[in-house]
Amino acid sequence: LNVIEHIWSHLKDHVNNRTVHPKNVVEAEIALFEEWQKIDLDFINSLVLSMPHCVEAVIEAHGNSTRY
């Protein structure tokens, strides 16, 4: 139920899909920063707005696994 986990996954996918992959820590930091700056606010809002539904699913599953 942690929104940031979806954002980390998004960042990882976008860094991995770059034409030129980072070759060291400095290049990785730069790539992450650049991809972070590109995250669409609508994407973050959609994650936040999905939270009530996610919480409801967890409650209905009595704390067991859900698709979230």
Side-chain angles (χ1 to χ4, degrees):
L1 292 178
N2 194 342
V3 173
I4 196 68
E5 296 301 326
H6 295 285
I7 297 171
W8 293 144
S9 177
H10 176 87
L11 281 172
K12 178 183 173 185
D13 292 343
H14 282 77
V15 169
N16 285 336
N17 290 331
R18 291 169 71 104
T19 315
V20 178
H21 293 106
K23 294 177 183 69
N24 55 50
V25 173
V26 173
E27 289 182 9
E29 288 176 349
I30 292 168
L32 284 166
F33 180 78
E34 289 173 355
E35 294 303 329
W36 182 270
Q37 295 300 314
K38 294 178 187 175
I39 295 176
D40 186 10
L41 190 55
D42 289 336
F43 171 66
I44 295 173
N45 286 334
S46 71
L47 293 173
V48 172
L49 292 174
S50 73
M51 288 309 297
H53 181 70
C54 296
V55 170
E56 183 179 315
V58 170
I59 290 169
E60 287 178 9
H62 303 288
N64 293 314
S65 296
T66 69
R67 65 185 191 109
Y68 305 102

